[in-house]
Amino acid sequence: MDTIFALATAQGRAGVAVIRISGPQSWNVGTALAGSLPKPRKAGLRRLTASDGTYLDEALVLTFEDKESFTGEKTVELQTHGSIAVVNSILKELGGFSDCRLAEPGEFTRRAMESGRLDLVQVEALSDLIEAETELQRKQALRMFDGAFGERVLSWRQSLIRAASLLEAVIDFADEEVPEDVSAEVSELLKMVIDALNKELTGFQSAERIRSGFEVAIIGAPNVGKSTLLNALAGRDAAITSEIAGTTRDVIEVRMDLSGIPVTLLDTAGLRETEDTIEALGIARAKDRASAADLRVFLKSGDEAVPDFIEAEDLVFETKADLTGKEDAISAKSGEGLDKVIQSITHALQQKVAGAGLATRERHRVALVQGVKHLETAERLVSEGSEIYDIAAEEIRTAVRGLESLVGKVGVEDLLDEIFSSFCLGK
């Protein structure tokens, strides 16, 4: 296996840069650069020199033994000065060693998975942690990275293997003294796992939204103050405001962090009847995006009727308090009631977040849905008698294989290249 290296910190000028070397020749390469290496897990200050004796930099050097590093391989980390020139000179020198090459995107993490240091769910969680923009995303990613989902999958797997083994014992030892009536215990095990999978599926949408972000659509008639509200919440002029009706023709998006919850606010075209073809397209798009959003904020003026697609959990505010003086109204222009809008949106989304599960990606959802399908079939077959226990056992085994694919034990080779390609070189 090749020894790989890469800059583990961000590209560009910085106070400190970390260069990671991992693989069978990493210690030899590190020794050639630093003259000697400190003991594993002990930092040591070393003078780095090229093969021709050129002084490259002074660096803090760390070493890790097999099974004790992030990748599970012998590893050397060089904490150098963050100069672009220094980093480039060291990377160039590393590229000159035989069997030592620049790492591919995500290759360090892939080696960590292949060595058993991480499962596939943890790999995905690490990617989410790197991409996390809000506190809630950070917490969710760390919970996954800590192995919570993998432990849950292992528990389900053990219960299902127990259920399948009971059925197969009856099949294999039908003529010996093995209790044939195992249906009660098997049915109990199946029901327990089915309930757990369904509970996880119930929380999937909220968990997935924490990872990707909730969408909140601001809707209402032209000139009701939608774009002004968006700009006020964003703290900048993200949308053009005008007294001319129909100014907003397309959906304008602004990313925000509301109490740790990732939110994309959508400013949509004003809802009205129009003969303008372009504006009509904008209104149609506004309705589609609003319907698909996780929450809608409807702004109205006076006694205006609420649209049919507004749901019970959606928010309704009367606007232009600066003109009407109404106590319960808001005004994005003067700032009156903006705190109430933010608090209401945050509270509504916190209600959704409360039921979040651990499954966060579509492949997780598909595996869980298929698992429920096979286990419900197995449950029905078990109730029909021991003559078809073999078919029921195979349904359970199929469900087990599906759950194993969640953590990367089987059937995920086609996913790996796509997953790891999203990582940076140093990960």
Side-chain angles (χ1 to χ4, degrees):
M1 179 180 289
D2 289 343
T3 295
I4 58 174
F5 65 89
L7 177 65
T9 45
Q11 295 280 350
R13 186 179 294 105
V16 175
V18 177
I19 297 172
R20 178 181 289 167
I21 311 165
S22 180
Q25 298 300 318
S26 59
W27 284 19
N28 293 335
V29 171
T31 300
L33 273 176
S36 66
L37 296 178
K39 292 180 180 180
R41 294 183 175 273
K42 299 290 185 181
L45 191 63
R46 295 292 187 274
R47 182 184 177 97
L48 305 184
T49 58
S51 57
D52 62 1
T54 302
Y55 178 33
L56 298 175
D57 192 24
E58 190 173 58
L60 198 64
V61 180
L62 288 163
T63 62
F64 302 89
E65 294 183 294
D66 282 324
K67 312 299 182 185
E68 298 296 328
S69 70
F70 173 72
T71 60
E73 305 172 323
K74 284 187 174 181
T75 299
V76 176
E77 288 191 359
L78 309 174
Q79 298 183 15
T80 73
H81 293 95
S83 157
I84 295 173
V86 167
V87 170
N88 287 342
S89 66
I90 295 173
L91 293 179
K92 182 179 179 181
E93 184 66 21
L94 288 172
F97 289 93
S98 60
D99 298 325
C100 190
R101 61 172 176 79
L102 186 66
E104 297 175 358
E107 191 168 3
F108 286 96
T109 306
R110 184 163 187 162
R111 290 191 178 195
M113 193 193 81
E114 291 171 346
S115 68
R117 300 283 291 176
L118 301 175
D119 62 34
L120 188 56
V121 171
Q122 289 175 302
V123 167
E124 292 170 324
L126 180 56
S127 176
D128 291 342
L129 183 60
I130 293 170
E131 298 293 331
E133 297 177 342
T134 72
E135 181 66 6
L136 198 59
Q137 288 176 324
R138 182 189 69 82
K139 288 180 177 179
Q140 177 175 265
L142 281 176
R143 190 163 58 132
M144 296 284 283
F145 187 66
D146 199 37
F149 197 20
E151 291 174 3
R152 200 169 285 186
V153 171
L154 178 61
S155 174
W156 297 334
R157 179 180 180 275
Q158 289 174 333
S159 296
L160 295 179
I161 288 177
R162 167 68 177 169
S165 298
L166 287 171
L167 296 179
E168 289 168 352
V170 173
I171 297 167
D172 294 340
F173 302 100
D175 298 329
E176 301 182 26
E177 294 184 4
V178 175
E180 289 193 22
D181 189 12
V182 298
S183 60
E185 182 177 354
V186 171
S187 296
E188 183 179 350
L189 288 168
L190 293 179
K191 183 179 185 306
M192 179 182 68
V193 177
I194 289 171
D195 289 346
L197 296 183
N198 280 326
K199 183 178 180 181
E200 195 63 49
L201 284 167
T202 300
F204 168 76
Q205 185 173 4
S206 294
E208 192 275 336
R209 280 302 195 217
I210 292 173
R211 186 177 73 86
S212 63
F214 288 89
E215 286 194 346
V216 176
I218 303 173
I219 57 177
N223 287 338
V224 78
K226 299 183 299 300
S227 297
T228 304
L229 176 62
L230 178 78
N231 290 341
L233 294 176
R236 61 186 175 88
D237 290 336
I240 298 173
T241 59
S242 168
E243 294 182 359
I244 302 173
T247 300
T248 302
R249 300 290 181 99
D250 205 349
V251 177
I252 298 171
E253 303 182 4
V254 173
R255 187 86 167 179
M256 291 186 64
D257 178 346
L258 292 182
S259 299
I261 303 174
V263 177
T264 299
L265 292 175
L266 309 176
D267 178 24
T268 60
L271 304 179
R272 68 169 181 172
E273 297 296 328
T274 180
E275 296 182 359
D276 186 313
T277 303
I278 303 300
E279 185 183 359
L281 289 173
I283 293 171
R285 181 174 294 183
K287 290 180 178 179
D288 289 341
R289 287 297 298 273
S291 297
D294 301 288
L295 183 71
R296 284 147 293 278
V297 177
F298 178 66
L299 304 183
K300 67 174 191 146
S301 178
D303 297 328
E304 182 183 350
V306 176
D308 294 338
F309 57 82
I310 292 296
E311 301 176 4
E313 62 182 5
D314 292 333
L315 305 175
V316 179
F317 296 100
E318 186 171 347
T319 62
K320 302 189 177 181
D322 56 314
L323 299 178
T324 65
K326 290 187 178 180
E327 185 176 345
D328 293 333
I330 67 168
S331 171
K333 183 174 288 187
S334 67
E336 187 175 345
L338 284 187
D339 287 347
K340 180 172 68 174
V341 174
I342 294 173
Q343 290 170 4
S344 298
I345 294 174
T346 302
H347 178 73
L349 295 181
Q350 284 174 337
Q351 296 296 107
K352 295 177 180 292
V353 165
L358 288 174
T360 58
R361 296 173 183 258
E362 179 62 15
R363 77 172 191 92
H364 302 167
R365 187 194 68 81
V366 171
L368 294 173
V369 168
Q370 290 300 314
V372 170
K373 175 184 175 183
H374 288 295
L375 294 180
E376 286 179 341
T377 300
E379 192 176 37
R380 176 178 56 79
L381 293 172
V382 168
S383 68
E384 293 179 5
S386 59
E387 296 81 4
I388 50 176
Y389 275 4
D390 55 337
I391 303 176
E394 181 55 33
E395 289 288 341
I396 295 173
R397 295 288 183 190
T398 301
V400 169
R401 288 192 290 272
L403 293 177
E404 287 176 337
S405 73
L406 283 173
V407 292
K409 291 187 178 296
V410 294
V412 294
E413 286 301 318
D414 55 330
L415 292 173
L416 296 183
D417 289 340
E418 179 181 350
I419 290 173
F420 290 114
S421 66
S422 66
F423 282 78
C424 58
L425 291 180
K427 273 294 181 183

